[in-house]
Amino acid sequence: MDTFRSNNMEGTWNYQPCRNGHPFPITKEDTCLDFLCKYCGKTLNVFTYHRCYAVNAYCYKCRHHGHFARMCSFHVKSCENQKPKKKSKSKSKIQRDSDRMRTFIEKKQMSQFPFQGLEDQEIASFTCSIQDESTKQHINKLKVTNRNFIKEIAALKSEHSKLDTVVKDNVILRNNLDKVNLERLEHGRIIQKIEHELAEHASRTENFEKEIVRLKEENLNLTNARQRLTMEFKNTDMHYNRILNDMEGEIQRLREENVNSRHEIQHLDIKHSNRGVRSTLAICSRGNSQQHHRRGGGYPRR
């Protein structure tokens, strides 16, 4: 039982047992009760962290492991990390600040006029003491000159504003001029590239013209050769036609001779066949006469 918990809280305090069901052994008395374990709440002189109950415990506040929910400092840290709220001014303070700013601007604008450092009473006494008309005229002249100076200042301010606009325009024109110079350089490079390409095209055209002249000469030679070959072909064709005509005449003559030879052969065959028939008839007649002579004599009948 933890004496610190039992003294400061009502009732007794029983620690959660370990996994095997036995509580941690207490070897020493609670001599240092002010130092508690920040994970489980037990005094540090009784046990070390590796024997703490909350080593594998789950916290239901911050959803992390390693401590109990009663020792969780998540809410405290979130409260400490909150940014302080900005204080807003009240309406009276805002009105006071606006009045102060307006008076400051008025004083700054009035500081450009003469006699600004003098107070109203001093100005009144000074004006009452002046009685001479010459001084009044001098004051009027000074007022006129002051007005002229103010007008000149306004004119100079307008000229200064115009000069500012001119300077801005000058800067813009310089930037544009730089861009134009860059574009001019780029165009110069492009022109050089185009000139180089034109020179290459000119050299190519010269080569093409030379090639065209050579091809024309070759074409002329080829046309002459073609004409010569056509003439030779015509001559050879005429020669071959003559030879063919001669051969056809010779073939016709040979055909006629062949026909004549065939007729002669047929005539000879007919003669030969007639001779064979006569010879066979003579042989047959001789045989018959011999047989008749053998049988009874006499000549055979014709």
Side-chain angles (χ1 to χ4, degrees), residues 133-149:
E133 293 180 358
S134 61
T135 55
K136 289 181 180 180
Q137 291 177 359
H138 185 66
I139 289 167
N140 291 325
K141 288 179 181 180
L142 290 173
K143 287 180 179 179
V144 171
T145 54
N146 191 9
R147 289 173 185 172
N148 294 325
F149 286 148

Side-chain angles (χ1 to χ4, degrees), residues 202-214:
S203 62
R204 288 179 183 176
T205 51
E206 289 178 358
N207 294 325
F208 286 150
E209 288 177 355
K210 291 178 182 178
E211 190 70 21
I212 288 164
V213 171
R214 187 179 62 80

Side-chain angles (χ1 to χ4, degrees), residues 181-295:
N181 289 325
L182 292 172
E183 290 178 356
R184 185 174 61 80
L185 292 172
E186 188 67 25
H187 288 306
R189 292 174 184 173
I190 293 166
I191 289 165
Q192 289 178 358
K193 187 176 180 181
I194 291 167
E195 288 177 353
H196 184 66
E197 290 178 355
L198 288 172
E200 289 180 354
H201 286 302
S203 62
R204 288 179 183 176
T205 51
E206 289 178 358
N207 294 325
F208 286 150
E209 288 177 355
K210 291 178 182 178
E211 190 70 21
I212 288 164
V213 171
R214 187 179 62 80
L215 291 172
K216 284 181 179 179
E217 291 177 355
E218 289 181 356
N219 190 10
L220 183 61
N221 294 324
L222 289 171
T223 52
N224 294 326
R226 185 170 62 82
Q227 290 177 359
R228 183 172 56 79
L229 290 171
T230 51
M231 293 296 291
E232 290 179 357
F233 179 73
K234 287 180 180 179
N235 294 324
T236 52
D237 192 9
M238 291 173 68
H239 182 66
Y240 289 149
N241 288 326
R242 289 174 185 174
I243 292 168
L244 288 172
N245 291 324
D246 295 335
M247 290 176 72
E248 286 178 356
E250 188 69 22
I251 289 165
Q252 188 69 27
R253 186 178 62 77
L254 291 172
R255 284 179 181 176
E256 290 177 355
E257 290 179 357
N258 190 7
V259 170
N260 294 324
S261 62
R262 283 181 182 178
H263 288 298
E264 289 178 357
I265 289 165
Q266 288 178 0
H267 184 68
L268 291 172
D269 288 334
I270 291 166
K271 286 182 178 181
H272 184 69
S273 62
N274 291 326
R275 287 179 182 177
V277 170
R278 288 177 182 176
S279 61
T280 52
L281 290 172
I283 290 166
C284 289
S285 64
R286 286 178 184 176
N288 291 324
S289 64
Q290 287 177 3
Q291 288 179 2
H292 182 72
H293 181 71
R294 286 176 183 175
R295 289 177 182 176

Side-chain angles (χ1 to χ4, degrees), residues 119-178:
E119 295 181 356
D120 294 335
Q121 294 179 0
E122 293 177 354
I123 292 168
S125 63
F126 180 74
T127 54
C128 291
S129 62
I130 297 171
Q131 294 178 359
D132 296 331
E133 293 180 358
S134 61
T135 55
K136 289 181 180 180
Q137 291 177 359
H138 185 66
I139 289 167
N140 291 325
K141 288 179 181 180
L142 290 173
K143 287 180 179 179
V144 171
T145 54
N146 191 9
R147 289 173 185 172
N148 294 325
F149 286 148
I150 290 168
K151 289 179 181 179
E152 289 178 358
I153 288 165
L156 290 171
K157 284 182 179 179
S158 63
E159 289 179 358
H160 187 266
S161 63
K162 290 179 181 179
L163 287 172
D164 290 334
T165 55
V166 169
V167 169
K168 290 179 181 179
D169 294 334
N170 192 8
V171 171
I172 294 166
L173 290 172
R174 282 182 181 177
N175 294 325
N176 293 326
L177 184 62
D178 293 333

Side-chain angles (χ1 to χ4, degrees), residues 63-86:
R63 309 294 180 182
H64 289 86
H65 294 274
H67 62 276
F68 292 143
R70 64 172 177 265
M71 299 302 294
C72 183
S73 61
F74 179 74
H75 182 67
V76 176
K77 289 181 180 179
S78 63
C79 292
E80 290 177 356
N81 293 326
Q82 288 181 358
K83 294 182 180 179
K85 294 182 180 180
K86 293 182 179 179

